[in-house]
Every structure is written in structure tokens, then in C-alpha cells.
Amino acid sequence: MLSIAVASGRAGYVYLQGAQLLDWGIAVKAVKTGSDLVGFVQLLIIDLKPDVVVTEKLDAGCRKGKRTKELIHSIAVLASHNTVLDVSVERPRTFPSKYEEAHYLAGKHPELAGYLPKRKRRLFDFEPRGMVIFEAIAMAEAVIKGPPENLAAALG
């Protein structure tokens, strides 16, 4: 399973086999244009050979900006053109903040601990770069732990 999260100016991905985290990363240059991001994700699909690509569901609950939504949509379209299943999930919000969620997920996947922010951001600070990794893993876990109807609906 390849889960891709897009935030302002960056994209993060995690690749899992079952619940085991095998690969992860952050792309900044690839998010400059939609074609750059599509090319980057296509390379991930070729290299990692996932069965499922997870993206954020673009509905009324999505808090992303217009450009970020367009980038997420381009990933979903790309997945539909490949031999992978595209599953769109709502961004899980089960913690009081992204920082508590990141600490919980880093506890489950200690290899991601280096991406934890040093401190909780202040209102006027930019979001730490590594937070997009935790968004990607949270969406992947939503598919793994979520109701099987979501995956069945994506299969048609």
C-alpha cells in the first residue's frame, strides 16, 4: 500500500506491506507543478509496485486549499490509469492535534521518530516539514483499520 499526503509545498509518502512500514519520504521539488508530482508518483508506483494507492478524499470535510486539492486529484487520476486501486479516505482526526497524532504514530513506527517536530508550532510558525509523513501514515492506517466496506466500495 502506498499512501500519499499532499500539503502546501510538499508531499509525503509511506509504503507499507500489511502493517509493516517499508519505505517513506518527503518530496518538495515534485510539488512545484501537477506534472512534476504525477511524474514523482508514477516513479513510486513503478519502483514500489503497490496494489493500492491511498489519497485524501476530496469532499466537504477536506481542509486543503484549491491547489493542493488539484494535486491530490491528479494523483487519484494517475492511480486509475495504472493497475493499482485508488482508495480515497477522509483524513482521520481522532487526536486533539496533529502533534499528539504524530507522537502516537512515531511510537508505533519508531523509524519515523526523526520526523517529529521539536516542539508544537506556534500560531505564526509554518507547519514542520515532516508532519506530512504522519498524515500519510494516518491515512494508510485508516484503510488498514477501517471498515472493509470502504475497500470493497473502491473495488466497485
Side-chain angles (χ1 to χ4, degrees):
M1 175 185 312
L2 176 64
S3 178
I4 303 168
V6 181
S8 180
R10 62 198 176 281
Y13 73 91
V14 294
Y15 175 68
L16 295 103
Q17 199 167 45
Q20 182 183 6
L21 182 62
L22 298 178
D23 194 12
W24 62 92
I26 298 173
V28 176
K29 289 182 182 178
V31 185
K32 299 286 185 211
T33 67
S35 61
D36 289 344
L37 182 60
V38 166
F40 174 73
V41 174
Q42 182 65 51
L43 287 175
L44 288 174
I45 291 172
I46 291 168
D47 291 344
L48 301 173
K49 297 174 182 49
D51 296 322
V52 177
V53 173
V54 180
T55 56
E56 185 171 351
K57 185 182 274 188
L58 300 176
D59 60 5
C62 181
R63 299 180 184 177
K64 305 287 184 178
K66 180 182 176 188
R67 183 172 182 284
T68 303
K69 286 180 180 179
E70 290 170 356
L71 292 172
I72 294 168
H73 177 71
S74 68
I75 295 169
V77 169
L78 173 69
S80 70
H81 291 292
N82 282 274
T83 57
V84 297
L85 177 64
D86 173 47
V87 177
S88 297
V89 295
E90 287 186 24
R91 170 77 172 90
R93 300 189 197 291
T94 55
F95 292 87
S97 76
K98 289 182 178 182
Y99 298 92
E100 283 87 0
E101 178 181 53
H103 281 278
Y104 169 77
L105 292 169
K108 289 182 73 175
H109 304 281
E111 53 269 42
L112 297 179
Y115 292 94
L116 282 171
K118 302 282 186 244
R119 60 181 166 83
K120 193 171 180 179
R121 79 178 179 119
R122 296 169 293 192
L123 184 61
F124 51 85
D125 289 335
F126 289 109
E127 183 175 88
R129 186 174 160 240
M131 291 301 284
V132 73
I133 291 275
F134 296 105
E135 188 173 332
I137 194 113
M139 289 189 305
E141 288 200 354
V143 171
I144 292 169
K145 293 181 180 177
E149 299 87 41
N150 291 346
L151 197 53
L155 289 170

